[in-house]
Each structure stands twice: as structure tokens, then as C-alpha cells.
Amino acid sequence: MKIFYYDHHTFPLPESHRFPADKYRLLRERVQAAGLVAADDLVAAPKITAVSLQRAHLPSYLQRLEQGLLSRAEMRRIGLPWSPELINRVQYTVGATTAAARIALRDGLALSLGGGTHHACRDHGQGYCLYNDVVVAARTMQAEGRVRRVAVIDCDVHQGNGTAEIAASDPTIFTFSIHGEKNFPFRKVPSDLDIGLLDGTEDTAYLRQLEPAVMQALATKPELIFYLAGADVHVHDRLGRLALSAAGMAARDKLVLRRCRQAGVPVVVLMAGGYGRLLSETVALYFQTVQITTEFAHL
């Protein structure tokens, strides 16, 4: 199974910034140390093309973003300080998801050690998301004639408003989001299927609602699925407000992957959000998802 990474493309952040950028490097190092895949299956991601980005975003937004012309308010909404290095980095983020989609269609499964930037909308970014990697990758696969129908299974704790907005009038992309109803974003954009959960939702209640929704997504007959795993549903996540245990999250990952594999649908697995009180805990939860994915690759 191929695993794509891009953490070596670094960008500057103030020392006190809340975004835990080191988690991606630490995750890659842990994957390498564990030998989860052969050395040549851990692949540096390619950079996304400008043509691909325009499949999800307005050219005017892309130009302003890349030239550093967004207003302070627009950059505040994104939550990261603008720099050329940041723009370079996130273009590799989208490149990783797109490359993983191509490989998943060949091998059945592929994974990015990041990705899931689901808050980026057609004409603006927000919530640490500048480009919507999932929609860019989905439409690139469609433009290349590899697939017609795609489904998104978004288990990040925050609703996938950007994905829902961009794909709202697109019947070829089915969007499903299960998330904290009272959490960010506070103005939800309706997906094709949304499940909003109460604060403090635990494993059993979560899994009970997830399984029929996954089956509903599969009933749309997708030829490719993007699975946004999300470590931010964990009980100790600073931004999560749900109460899943590590065991519950493992059951979630296995449920999604098992159902998709049984249906014969290729899956791209993305890490999505994770903001644990301890950085090491977030990395461990991401690693658990990677480990489970590699196990399914051998079934």
C-alpha cells in the first residue's frame, strides 16, 4: 500500500500558534520506525497543478491567495499567517490526496499522512483550510476519465462545509458528514447527508449512527471513496467536544473500511483534524488509523 507524505515542505508559524504542524512529521517518523510499509511505498507527494485547483476554486480566489492579496480578515478566517512557504505546502497537501486517489483506484487503498481540508470553499478558505483537497482530487479523477461517481465519508468532528458547498449542485459527488452539531463551523452548509451529534457523544451512540449512513453512501454506487478519518472526535481533543475513546475510533475505522472493501469500492484515507491536549496522543491516534488501513490492504 502506498502512503503519501508532504511534511518536509515546511512553513513558518509563530511560536505560540495553536496549529500543531509538527504532528505530520512525527506521524511519518512513527510510520517509518514501525515499518508499516516498505520504504519505497512511503512516497513524497507531488505538487498539485493549477488546472486541478481550478476544478474546485474560482480563479480569482486562487490568484489572490497565491499572490498574498487576501485581506487580513480573510487570512484571519483561514487561521494561518500567509507566506510563500504556506502556499507551497498546501499545494503538496492537495497533491498527496490526488496522487493517493490514483493509486487507490489501482490498488484498492491508499493513504495520505494529512489531508482532509474540508472547510475550504469555492472562493475562500477557513479553519486552517486553503484548498479543498477532496473536491480537487475527485474532479481530477473524473476529468482524467478514471471515475464518474465519488462519495465522501467525512468523520472529522467538524462539518465538511466547504466540500458540501462546492459539490452542492454536483450529483456525481455524494457528501456525507458526521460531526458535532454545536461545533465549528457554526453555519453549516447542508451535505447530501449530515448527522449532527450532541456534545459528549460516546462510542456506542456514534457507531450506531455511523453504520447506516455508510451504507447509504455506498448505495449511491460510488467508484471511489474519500474517507476523512479525523482524530478530533477523541475525548481529549481540545477542539472536538465529542467523547470517543481510542478503541471507539479503531472500531469506526474498521467499520468504514470493512464496508467499503465488502462493496469493492477503492478508498483514499485522509487524516483530517486532530488537536489533542497532548501532541503525542494525536500522533498515536493518527498512527492507529494508518495501522488499521495497512491491515485492510493485506486482506
Side-chain angles (χ1 to χ4, degrees):
M1 190 188 79
K2 300 289 185 186
I3 296 177
F4 292 87
Y5 68 92
Y6 53 86
D7 62 274
H8 55 300
H9 299 287
T10 59
F11 61 98
L13 277 177
E15 195 169 318
S16 59
H17 200 280
R18 298 202 322 166
F19 184 71
D22 285 345
K23 63 185 179 179
Y24 303 107
R25 173 184 56 81
L26 294 169
L27 175 61
R28 174 178 54 81
E29 290 172 353
R30 184 159 180 183
V31 169
Q32 287 175 315
L36 288 186
V37 295
D40 59 356
D41 283 336
L42 189 59
V43 184
K47 195 172 191 175
I48 197 64
T49 66
V51 170
S52 289
L53 290 173
Q54 290 177 23
R55 295 187 172 111
H57 298 287
L58 293 182
S60 56
Y61 168 65
L62 295 173
Q63 182 180 28
R64 293 173 61 239
L65 174 63
E66 290 156 19
Q67 294 180 4
L69 299 177
L70 297 186
S71 68
R72 288 185 181 179
E74 288 173 305
M75 288 308 300
R76 236 183 350 259
R77 191 176 193 181
I78 289 171
L80 297 167
W82 188 91
S83 66
E85 293 88 352
L86 173 65
I87 302 305
N88 182 65
R89 161 65 169 257
V90 294
Q91 290 178 353
Y92 281 98
T93 303
V94 187
T97 301
T98 305
R102 291 194 188 97
I103 296 299
L105 288 167
R106 186 191 74 185
D107 296 347
L109 269 176
L111 184 145
S112 169
L113 298 179
T117 49
H118 60 166
H119 297 310
C121 296
R122 187 183 304 276
D123 63 354
H124 66 273
Q126 59 183 310
Y128 304 142
C129 302
L130 288 80
Y131 304 119
N132 194 298
D133 62 325
V134 167
V135 181
V136 170
R139 288 187 171 161
T140 299
M141 295 306 99
Q142 292 171 328
E144 293 175 357
R146 300 173 188 268
V147 297
R148 295 179 301 278
R149 298 190 60 80
V150 172
V152 181
I153 296 176
D154 189 342
C155 293
D156 185 290
V157 81
H158 304 107
Q159 197 243 3
N161 61 319
T163 306
E165 185 237 46
I166 300 171
S169 59
D170 186 345
T172 69
I173 301 177
F174 180 86
T175 56
F176 160 53
S177 176
I178 180 169
H179 51 263
E181 182 61 29
K182 295 181 180 179
N183 208 328
F184 178 90
F186 302 109
R187 187 182 71 83
K188 310 289 193 286
V189 177
S191 309
D192 292 306
L193 176 61
D194 283 299
I195 297 176
L197 301 170
L198 297 176
D199 287 3
T201 297
E202 297 180 341
D203 298 348
T204 301
Y206 184 98
L207 295 167
R208 186 187 304 122
Q209 297 197 63
L210 175 62
E211 184 157 24
V214 170
M215 299 309 293
Q216 187 173 336
L218 288 168
T220 68
K221 305 296 184 185
E223 297 156 282
L224 179 64
I225 284 176
F226 292 87
Y227 171 44
L228 284 65
D232 47 10
V233 294
H234 190 253
V235 63
H236 293 155
D237 195 88
R238 288 184 291 111
L239 305 182
R241 295 166 61 170
L242 297 187
L244 270 68
S245 67
M249 293 171 62
R252 174 202 67 176
D253 293 343
K254 290 175 182 178
L255 186 161
V256 172
L257 293 172
R258 181 176 64 253
R259 288 302 192 183
C260 292
R261 297 290 273 175
Q262 288 171 344
V265 184
V267 184
V268 180
V269 180
L270 306 170
M271 296 299 98
Y275 312 95
R277 297 187 185 113
L278 295 175
L279 184 60
S280 58
E281 192 165 45
T282 297
V283 173
L285 293 167
Y286 279 158
F287 180 77
Q288 175 177 265
T289 292
V290 177
Q291 190 170 36
I292 288 168
T293 305
T294 60
E295 291 168 359
F296 272 85
H298 293 112
L299 294 180

